[in-house]
Amino acid sequence: MLAIEHPIIKAPMAGGIDTAELIIAVNNAGGMGFIGAAYNTGEQIRAISRQIVAQTERPFGINLFPPEKQAPRPEKTALALEAVSPFYRELSLPLPQLEPCKGFDFDRQIEATLESGASVLSFTFGVMPKDVMAAARERGMLLIGSATTVAEALALEAAGVDAVVAQGSEGGGHRATFLGDPQASQIGSMALIPQVVDVLNIPVIASGGIMDGRGVAAALALGAAAAQLGTAFIPCPESGASAVYKEALLAANEDQTVVTKAFSGKPARGVRNRFIDSLEQQPEAILPFPYQNELTRGMRIAAGKAGKPEYLSLWAGQGLRSTRQLGAGELTAQLIREYRAAARRLSRYGQGDS
Ligand SMILES: Cc1cc2nc3c(=O)[nH]c(=O)nc-3n(C[C@H](O)[C@H](O)[C@H](O)COP(=O)(O)O)c2cc1C
């Protein structure tokens, strides 16, 4: 359906990781790259798409967030400001003000996406508006939504998507949860994928904790049609992640991540650091999304530039110990070799009559 050679997708990762070079390298090695474009302007989406189209004829996807009804501006912000202020002081930054949230120019993002040459529009945090889905279809684009429970997968299928990403709780970055209780919706990939596969009539893409070809083979064994990997690609030289972020991931292990609302107000998995530990001790000081995201933005930008991982959102999944620093094309080729080797190893269990 996706017209790719191998069932390997580089996950969309909004926030500057997804460069054109990263996507081109994965595509040219036989996988498929997605641009996490939710924080990009229409112009930025056009620019990166132009670069990709100029350098590869292979299909790529764009990922956006459906527009969300914004939570009302919180009245009590003193606690939240107090909780982040020490970190701003340590970085010699002026204390943050809670500015009105600008939000994303969704209409421009969609306009640019429809004209980008991408063959897929994928999304997370809900269902795209009907008119957007219809417009994408008219352009011949496929639609892919993200689910963390069977109920969400069914809701996406009912809305008319072509495939569903089943995001297990091992995965890095924001949880895609949009229907159930976020805590109860933390289902591991091993349990989630087959349960989603069993109820859907459309293909399922496995995501969360897949770091090598064994993981890809496992996802296929569980009934998925493809595997989507995020964390594995962050340390690649083509990725736009800062050097300090890459180093932190390469040094961290499987027991060092937590799901936290500390940085954005929405649950996301990342490497534990001093900022998370401090905010987790005062959860009442964390504002809802997007206000918390705005509140920590200045700190995150400065910390990235200053190379200070203790103040950065180091989004990553539980597969951390398996991160490798390879070029994205070489990593994709390695994943292909590994899942083929895993399939060969497993084929001996398929012999015999009973
Ligand atoms: C840094 C980062 C940013 C992410 N941004 C997005 C995003 O913009 N859209 C999306 O659908 N998923 C996003 N994800 C989630 C991935 O699509 C995927 O579900 C996850 O990375 C899979 O788990 P893994 O990291 O263990 O491979 C992000 C993940 C990471 C690590």
Side-chain angles (χ1 to χ4, degrees):
M1 188 160 92
L2 294 173
I4 49 177
E5 253 175 272
H6 297 281
I8 294 170
I9 294 171
K10 187 211 65 69
M13 289 183 277
I17 295 171
D18 292 339
T19 61
E21 291 74 20
L22 182 58
I23 286 141
I24 292 162
V26 172
N27 279 14
N28 287 342
M32 179 170 184
F34 275 69
I35 312 169
Y39 305 140
N40 292 4
T41 62
E43 209 28 67
Q44 288 168 327
I45 294 174
R46 279 177 216 280
I48 184 169
S49 306
R50 246 184 259 126
Q51 259 181 290
I52 295 170
V53 170
Q55 291 180 68
T56 176
E57 287 182 354
R58 302 197 182 192
F60 68 99
I62 293 183
N63 178 274
L64 295 172
F65 305 161
E68 222 175 291
K69 208 167 154 252
Q70 198 164 306
R73 191 183 153 81
E75 279 169 24
K76 293 188 185 144
T77 57
L79 257 185
L81 288 167
E82 208 178 296
V84 301
S85 293
F87 296 92
Y88 275 80
R89 270 192 223 103
E90 283 174 32
L91 288 164
S92 308
L93 294 171
L95 295 187
Q97 304 295 321
L98 196 62
E99 307 286 351
C101 292
K102 279 193 253 63
F104 312 116
D105 193 345
F106 181 72
D107 292 345
R108 297 287 90 72
Q109 288 179 328
I110 286 295
E111 224 173 74
T113 297
L114 293 176
E115 292 164 10
S116 65
S119 60
V120 181
L121 167 61
S122 83
F123 46 91
T124 190
F125 303 147
V127 183
M128 271 294 169
K130 273 201 179 104
D131 59 327
V132 170
M133 303 231 288
R137 267 209 194 296
E138 219 164 90
R139 294 268 172 167
M141 295 173 84
L142 293 166
L143 296 159
I144 299 180
S146 317
T148 58
T149 59
V150 167
E152 289 171 352
L154 285 168
L156 288 162
E157 184 179 49
V161 300
D162 299 287
V164 166
V165 171
Q167 188 198 41
S169 58
E170 304 95 317
H174 282 99
R175 307 279 307 131
T177 304
F178 63 96
L179 288 181
D181 168 57
Q183 187 68 31
S185 303
Q186 290 200 38
I187 324 282
S189 294
M190 191 85 176
L192 179 67
I193 297 159
Q195 294 186 81
V196 172
V197 166
D198 283 349
V199 300
L200 292 196
N201 295 306
I202 52 176
V204 173
I205 298 164
S207 195
I210 303 170
M211 299 298 289
D212 58 28
R214 292 171 301 182
V216 176
L220 300 179
L222 293 172
Q228 175 168 292
L229 293 75
T231 303
F233 284 98
I234 298 175
C236 292
E238 297 90 341
S239 122
S242 63
V244 60
Y245 184 2
K246 292 181 184 181
E247 280 161 24
L249 294 208
L250 289 164
N253 290 331
E254 75 286 357
D255 57 354
Q256 286 177 259
T257 70
V258 281
V259 174
T260 182
K261 290 185 182 178
F263 282 105
S264 68
K266 260 190 202 289
R269 185 179 290 284
V271 178
R272 254 179 96 157
N273 57 13
R274 203 150 63 73
F275 181 77
I276 294 177
D277 284 343
S278 169
L279 274 272
E280 287 292 333
Q281 278 168 26
Q282 35 188 338
E284 68 287 354
I286 301 175
L287 299 176
F289 182 86
Y291 303 99
Q292 187 70 9
N293 203 40
E294 292 292 314
L295 199 59
T296 64
R297 186 193 306 278
M299 175 187 75
R300 287 181 281 122
I301 293 172
K305 285 186 190 149
K308 296 202 188 269
E310 292 303 321
Y311 317 78
L312 271 179
S313 47
L314 303 166
W315 301 141
Q318 290 176 322
L320 270 175
R321 198 188 286 265
S322 308
T323 40
R324 307 176 259 197
Q325 199 170 29
L326 293 173
E330 179 48 33
L331 175 58
T332 308
Q334 186 70 16
L335 292 169
I336 294 165
R337 285 194 287 274
E338 289 169 351
Y339 91 74
R340 284 181 164 158
R344 277 195 298 276
R345 273 199 310 279
L346 289 174
S347 68
R348 70 189 172 93
Y349 294 104
Q351 280 151 28
D353 303 325
S354 55

